[in-house]
Amino acid sequence: MAALTREETQALIQEVLEVYPEKARKDRAKHIMINDKTLESSKKCITSNRKSLPGVMTMRGCAYAGSKGVVWGPIKDVISISHGPIGCGQYSRAGRRNYYVGTTGVDTFSEMNFTSDFQEKDIVFGGDKKLAKLIEEIEMLFPLNKGITVQSECPIGLIGDDIEAVAKKMSAQIGKPVVPVRCEGFRGVSQSLGHHIANDSIRDWIISNRDGQAFEKTPYDVAILGDYNIGGDAWASRILLEEMGLRVVAQWSGDGTLAELENTPNVKLNLLHCYRSMNYIARHMEEKYGIPWIEYNFFGPTKIAESLRKIASFFDDRIKEGAERVIEKYTPVMNAVIAKYKPRLQGKKVMLYVGGLRPRHVVGAYEDLGMEVIGTGYEFAHNDDYDRTIKEMGDATLIYDDATGYELEEFVKALKPDLIGSGIKEKYVFHKMGVPFRQMHSWDYSGPYHGYDGFAIFARDMDMALNNPCWKMLTPPWLRQTDASELKKAA
Amino acid sequence: MANIMIRKGSEGYVFYMPKRDIEDPIVFLEFDSPEKWGGEIRLKNGGVYYIEPQPAPTRLPFSVRARRIDGVE
Ligand code: SF4
């Protein structure tokens, strides 16, 4: 049951959009919809993946963020150079908490910032020479790197540097892959195009590197795609797959290595967690190597069980039994978690606003705890994401695309959710409004949230945020209504 | 002209255009025999595209160039 009826929600949207100038109002109205479960396609109800309006506060990032920050960055034994001025790389350094095993600075490099630190003279005379020198230096100082990527920042595209030529030359010189990535921040409307560009660069420069080489296959090889190991997510997923008898050949890209990427064409099935950022490469492998791919969801026991069975259906009985065994093993543990937290969370309302996957994927986990998601939205989803969202959300709930800071605040004021899940940019605004909040990008420095182990942490964190005593202390003592008995006691 | 990819879904062919991330079931394919395959394709969302008739691909998914005739972008 949604909190509002369809008409009330419609009125709310109208009211919120009222303050915009007419043109902006018309445009924003297309990005907000009221869910209707009977819909097959979101096409007619919501517009997505369009340029944000100038003047409103959007939460989006840039193509460079999508490529360097999301797809390439977490690959631990590859050095990704932020090619251009220093800020883009420095201010996004190690911000996504992609955990990995290794000694940073020796054999793994994800947390470091490598940059060409462009100065005026590089813009005027071009930075190709500097890039070549930089790659030489990297090779000398960090010889254990397995490859280098050149992540272009805005100026590179503007001044017309030929990073492809430098990459080819340097790759031959150092004998390792050097991948030029044309992910200048101005391309596209959000980080989403950066994911696509990064996928394409993996396709063009990496994926077929080991074609024809011997590889010891088993019939149970799979690859995890689109799991960035935030707070250890991929590890919590991997153990379940291994427990049911599968062999995980590669992790894309959290805690992943270049060798894993190159070995992926040998797997039997690609498991796709974040559809938005890695469907491109999954589709490419399907066409080129005939590897099928499926989407799965490891948030909350209901969806995990569903996903494990779905994955198992691609394999023989051994794996199918394995899946059942895993589900059976964890069910009592999960029941205990639910028994503990559900009474404290039952009936609470949640609003979400996250990136490209979680606005729909975590709905099941909240429902497992008896909570209800009354509004959700994506920063940079496309319509195929909204098609998938319609099924997950309740009728007459609110769905917003590329919501602005103002809209989110107004929706929260009207819908009065008990908990908000979004990012760091929204966190303190809502804290100051007195609404409990969890960061759903970085798990608020907690995690993992994937898998059975993750769900226990998820439930605890949600309880911790929602039932924190601090929310009762927001009214200062002089504004508090004191009742007579307390006064008497004091007297 | 745009590159599209045609794959087999649970209910027949599925159309996918990487550039625009449009994924939609194909409800009508003009020619669907081993020797002659392609022609006009109609999508569930109303889009109409045309691919040059050709021998059917031996394996799906299959990337091919298509021309948009009508419907959604
Ligand atoms: S938009 Fe351009 S300058 Fe800004 S962070 Fe992205 S790449 Fe850097």
Side-chain angles (χ1 to χ4, degrees):
Chain A
M1 271 295 290
L4 297 179
T5 66
R6 185 159 277 281
E7 289 68 37
E8 283 168 333
T9 318
Q10 188 60 50
L12 168 68
I13 297 176
Q14 222 114 58
E15 198 189 307
V16 169
L17 296 183
E18 202 63 36
V19 297
Y20 288 136
E22 198 190 318
K23 210 168 147 208
R25 190 186 324 140
K26 259 206 200 129
D27 183 86
R28 286 303 306 155
K30 290 189 218 143
H31 291 264
I32 303 172
M33 72 178 272
I34 308 165
N35 195 30
D36 179 351
K37 276 192 144 168
T38 57
L39 283 175
E40 281 279 321
S41 138
S42 60
K43 187 100 206 146
K44 292 198 180 65
C45 308
I46 198 159
T47 310
S48 61
N49 199 28
R50 291 282 181 282
K51 192 176 166 305
S52 307
L53 275 180
V56 300
M57 202 153 71
T58 169
M59 313 294 177
R60 283 174 165 175
C62 66
Y64 160 82
S67 174
K68 156 71 170 46
V70 176
V71 177
W72 276 107
I75 302 171
K76 59 183 176 181
D77 57 1
V78 169
I79 290 180
S80 288
I81 303 171
S82 298
H83 189 37
I86 197 163
C88 314
Q90 181 57 16
Y91 287 96
S92 61
R93 183 182 74 87
R96 280 189 92 239
R97 299 176 64 244
N98 313 101
Y99 284 8
Y100 56 85
V101 185
T103 312
T104 305
V106 178
D107 57 355
T108 49
F109 311 95
S110 290
E111 272 175 8
M112 298 171 76
N113 178 23
F114 293 86
T115 174
S116 44
D117 187 17
F118 262 40
Q119 304 295 315
E120 253 175 74
K121 74 172 200 318
D122 301 312
I123 301 287
V124 176
F125 298 112
D128 284 345
K129 284 214 186 78
K130 194 173 196 181
L131 179 62
K133 188 156 171 258
L134 180 67
I135 294 174
E136 267 171 26
E137 272 177 28
I138 286 180
E139 191 51 26
M140 189 179 71
L141 292 171
F142 303 100
L144 291 185
N145 79 74
K146 296 283 158 46
I148 293 170
T149 71
V150 182
Q151 309 281 337
S152 320
E153 294 163 9
C154 287
I156 307 307
L158 298 174
I159 62 177
D161 271 11
D162 191 356
I163 57 168
E164 284 82 4
V166 180
K168 276 217 183 83
K169 193 183 99 202
M170 294 315 290
S171 173
Q173 189 178 322
I174 65 173
K176 290 173 187 175
V178 178
V179 184
V181 190
R182 283 286 180 185
C183 57
E184 287 91 347
F186 56 75
R187 293 185 201 274
V189 297
S190 65
Q191 49 268 66
S192 184
L193 188 67
H195 305 144
H196 198 155
I197 294 170
N199 275 241
D200 286 356
S201 65
I202 295 178
R203 177 195 70 196
D204 295 342
W205 297 82
I206 300 292
I207 199 79
S208 46
N209 281 2
R210 296 197 182 189
D211 282 8
Q213 277 185 27
F215 180 82
E216 247 178 71
K217 295 186 195 188
T218 76
Y220 304 118
D221 291 354
V222 294
I224 298 178
L225 264 54
D227 192 327
Y228 301 104
N229 204 26
I230 291 168
D233 278 343
W235 295 329
S237 309
R238 184 187 181 118
I239 52 169
L240 300 182
L241 298 171
E242 284 174 349
E243 235 179 302
M244 70 191 256
L246 296 170
R247 184 172 80 145
V248 180
V249 172
Q251 275 172 228
W252 292 56
S253 54
D255 195 31
T257 62
L258 192 70
E260 289 178 27
L261 303 197
E262 290 173 342
N263 279 330
T264 308
N266 294 309
V267 301
K268 284 271 154 336
L269 179 67
N270 275 323
L271 308 175
L272 188 55
H273 205 254
C274 179
Y275 171 84
R276 181 71 278 132
S277 60
M278 282 210 173
N279 79 78
Y280 315 101
I281 196 75
R283 288 176 197 274
H284 171 71
M285 283 193 261
E286 185 181 28
E287 181 172 16
K288 181 154 187 207
Y289 301 100
I291 305 168
W293 54 276
I294 55 161
E295 293 168 58
Y296 70 110
N297 179 353
F298 269 4
F299 286 107
T302 315
K303 292 284 172 190
I304 298 175
E306 233 170 65
S307 298
L308 288 177
R309 291 197 175 108
K310 189 162 136 196
I311 294 167
S313 72
F314 280 76
F315 295 93
D316 58 15
D317 286 345
R318 208 190 106 188
I319 302 296
K320 286 189 188 117
E321 278 156 29
E324 294 307 323
R325 198 176 57 238
V326 173
I327 295 168
E328 204 177 311
K329 174 178 161 196
Y330 285 97
T331 303
V333 188
M334 288 299 106
N335 286 344
V337 171
I338 292 173
K340 182 167 173 196
Y341 293 108
K342 197 168 178 179
R344 299 167 63 86
L345 296 170
Q346 179 95 39
K348 299 283 188 206
K349 293 183 298 218
V350 190
M351 260 175 86
L352 298 169
Y353 181 59
V354 211
L357 161 95
R358 288 166 188 166
R360 66 169 178 276
H361 258 45
V362 296
V363 172
Y366 281 114
E367 284 172 355
D368 283 335
L369 290 170
M371 300 167 81
E372 181 195 355
V373 182
I374 56 167
T376 195
Y378 299 84
E379 283 173 23
F380 52 79
H382 299 203
N383 270 68
D384 42 358
D385 295 300
Y386 286 102
D387 292 344
R388 292 164 166 82
T389 313
I390 293 173
K391 312 257 168 343
E392 302 286 337
M393 293 287 291
D395 260 329
T397 49
L398 200 56
I399 301 183
Y400 27 87
D401 175 67
D402 187 21
T404 68
Y406 159 76
E407 285 163 22
L408 276 184
E409 281 171 41
E410 292 304 311
F411 288 145
V412 166
K413 278 182 203 156
L415 295 175
K416 300 199 175 53
D418 301 291
L419 177 73
I420 299 172
S422 190
I424 186 72
K425 300 192 275 318
E426 295 81 29
K427 177 169 177 167
Y428 296 100
V429 176
F430 291 120
H431 268 178
K432 285 171 190 169
M433 285 167 69
V435 191
F437 188 99
R438 281 303 294 191
Q439 283 183 60
M440 295 304 281
H441 291 277
S442 68
W443 307 145
D444 242 331
Y445 323 112
S446 173
Y449 284 178
H450 289 181
Y452 286 118
D453 291 334
F455 181 70
I457 298 166
F458 172 83
R460 182 204 63 192
D461 285 356
M462 294 309 138
D463 175 45
M464 217 160 63
L466 233 161
N467 295 315
N468 195 311
C470 73
W471 304 117
K472 296 196 194 85
M473 296 174 185
L474 286 174
T475 349
W478 59 91
L479 290 179
R480 220 177 282 149
Q481 302 268 341
T482 35
D483 59 66
S485 65
E486 243 177 82
L487 271 181
K488 222 185 271 168
K489 232 190 284 165
Chain B
M1 293 288 265
N3 274 322
I4 63 156
M5 188 191 268
I6 292 181
R7 54 196 294 266
K8 201 102 191 156
S10 50
E11 294 150 46
Y13 294 119
V14 180
F15 171 100
Y16 174 68
M17 184 188 282
K19 189 133 201 229
R20 297 198 161 269
D21 279 302
I22 298 172
E23 187 175 29
D24 217 50
I26 294 176
V27 288
F28 171 79
L29 180 66
E30 196 176 357
F31 308 111
D32 193 5
S33 62
E35 316 79 53
K36 197 172 181 199
W37 184 88
E40 193 176 295
I41 45 180
R42 285 170 197 277
L43 308 184
K44 201 162 174 196
N45 68 14
V48 185
Y49 290 81
Y50 181 81
I51 45 183
E52 219 36 73
Q54 52 191 286
T58 45
R59 204 175 82 182
L60 290 172
F62 180 67
S63 282
V64 58
R65 286 182 79 72
R67 193 153 41 96
R68 183 166 76 91
I69 300 180
D70 197 15
V72 289
E73 84 278 41

